[in-house]
Amino acid sequence: DIQMTQSPSSVSASVGDRVTITCRASQGISSWLAWYQQKPGKAPKLLIYAASSLQSGVPSRFSGSGSGTDFTLTISRLQPEDFAIYYCQQANSFPRTFGQGTKVEIK
Amino acid sequence: QVQLQESGPGLVKPSQTLSLTCTVSRGSISSGDYYWSWIRQPPGKGLEWIGYIYYSGGTYYKSSLKSRVTISIDTSKNQFSLKVSSVTAADTAVYYCARDRAVGATYAFDIWGQGTMVTVSS
């Protein structure tokens, strides 16, 4: 199985800050990576697919980059509604696997 | 917009079988563009993919769960189902059904159910 490792596990930031989350795959997955946002008591929401493609309806302050084993999710200007847990997920092969999550907290 | 809705018991006794159904509305489960999946999340923990079923009935399960998991599909009802046998407390989780896009370069879980909490306890 492909292992997905996110860093950091948590980050404290203020509204307006730029936040970067990293995801590393245990083997190359080309660009088959997705990012999700999860708020308490809610299902995850797809933000980014194919490493850098923005899902319809997702604000443009979210962006993704990377290929192979190293990927990044960037929130350019953090908004109050962005405080949540973010997960990466590899879509290269089955079984699908997720990172352990990164909690974005209010500073 | 396609919607998914999980249903089933919220409490299951240890050693028994957990059974959940996901109903797909505003879209057809018979599309070849998707893998219909189950994902779970233990309280306070991360996401664990369980397996998928394709409209034709083909399945793939996570290897560590394979001996206890069955996913089935009923295209006439636009539903797919999950069974987990011999449950223990470790199977306590929120269970999500989700649609995994299988077209072009867009592989991702784009539609999720709201999730249903299943507790394993006597």
Side-chain angles (χ1 to χ4, degrees), chain A residues 22-91:
Chain A
T22 296
C23 179
R24 175 164 288 175
S26 61
Q27 64 189 73
I29 59 171
S30 186
S31 295
W32 301 119
L33 185 99
W35 289 97
Y36 302 86
Q37 176 194 67
Q38 187 178 34
K39 295 182 178 179
K42 299 295 187 181
K45 172 188 174 184
L46 177 64
L47 300 175
I48 301 283
Y49 62 91
S52 60
S53 295
L54 197 66
Q55 174 71 354
S56 176
V58 174
S60 59
R61 63 181 179 273
F62 291 93
S63 64
S65 64
S67 67
T69 60
D70 294 313
F71 302 86
T72 298
L73 173 70
T74 299
I75 310 172
S76 59
R77 288 177 300 278
L78 202 63
Q79 296 301 299
E81 60 268 30
D82 300 337
F83 292 96
I85 299 176
Y86 293 84
Y87 293 94
C88 63
Q89 174 243 324
Q90 65 82 14

Side-chain angles (χ1 to χ4, degrees), chain B residues 7-25:
Chain B
S7 59
L11 181 64
V12 181
K13 289 181 167 50
S15 79
Q16 294 192 343
T17 297
L18 177 162
S19 296
L20 297 173
T21 295
C22 182
T23 300
V24 180
S25 57

